[in-house]
Amino acid sequence: MPGEFELIRRYFSRPTPQTVLGPGDDCALLAPTPDMQLAITTDMLVEGTHFLADTDTDPAQLGWKALAVNLSDLAAMGARPRWTLLAGSLPEAREAWLAAFAEGLFDCAQRYQVDLVGGDTTRGPLNLCLTAIGEIPAGAALRRDRGVPGDDLWISGQPGLAALGLAHLQRRTQLPGALADRCIASLQRPLPRVELGLELRLRGLANAAIDVSDGLLADLGHIVESSAVAAEIFVAQLPSLPAGADPVLARRCQLAGGDDYELLFSAPPASRPAIADLAARLELPLWRCGRLRGAAAIGLTLLDENGQALTIDERGFDHFG
């Protein structure tokens, strides 16, 4: 069986056109674009916590997701992805598994023009940790603490599908075939909204933004806290629940399910026409689903179609909650 360095060379050494020096030395050498700030994020995927123990039957999907969830953080700040590093522990070095995982990882890297520039491997429980690095003009990042009272709240795509897919795989619900496939794909092969984040930043449309990884309400709570504002979510203006799913579970997944990696952002009402134009151009639904208010109306309120407050039982995922 090949050793550690031969496995890295065989499966994880690819051309790095954006990089001064890629894998193979003690460090990578990067050359940031002048006048740009670096946006750096890291996320860990642990077997049994972030993906089911049998997900290793489809390692290509896992390779895609491992990078995609990091690129979603860059998207939320309007950063352009440039580089990534991969550290992981593996119970054993199965070459077929590594080849498929690497293929999924590099499919995602090629799609978003990212160089893999280094990392580390060791023996242990299956655990994958990627660091992604992007660039953004100094002072231009979309941040959680920039929400303004009066801003509209927008959400991309259809949040809740990934959590429904997980419920289906865990046999907590039974989805019809086409919907099950769609939801499982949302869970296992998320699409980081890099283009959306870049356009929101480049066109100056959004004030605050965050990616929805732990649940719409939970992640909105971070904007509320960081911006010292209150928020209202209008349930009737959220995407329609998918036909064929239990509506109670589907609503819970939409509001508090994780792993969507959609973008939630605030924008002034004057941006509405430009955001509608952007949605059409990207062929990505963007839903105006709420608003920010002054901090005197503390907290986060969920309103039904009649404007009446609803009780919030769940807000989202917390590793230690």
Side-chain angles (χ1 to χ4, degrees), residues 1-4 6-7 10 92-95 98 123:
M1 171 162 308
E4 174 186 0
E6 173 59 22
L7 289 170
R10 187 175 297 181
E92 55 183 329
R94 289 178 288 160
E95 288 200 68
L98 283 168
R123 184 185 294 273

Side-chain angles (χ1 to χ4, degrees), residues 118-141:
D120 189 31
T121 58
T122 188
R123 184 185 294 273
L126 185 55
N127 179 5
L128 305 159
C129 184
L130 277 89
T131 297
I133 305 170
E135 290 186 329
I136 192 163

Side-chain angles (χ1 to χ4, degrees), residues 263-285:
L263 290 193
L264 174 67
F265 61 95
S266 81
S271 294
R272 290 176 189 176
I275 291 172
D277 175 71
L278 179 59
R281 191 155 58 81
L282 294 179
E283 298 182 344
L284 174 65

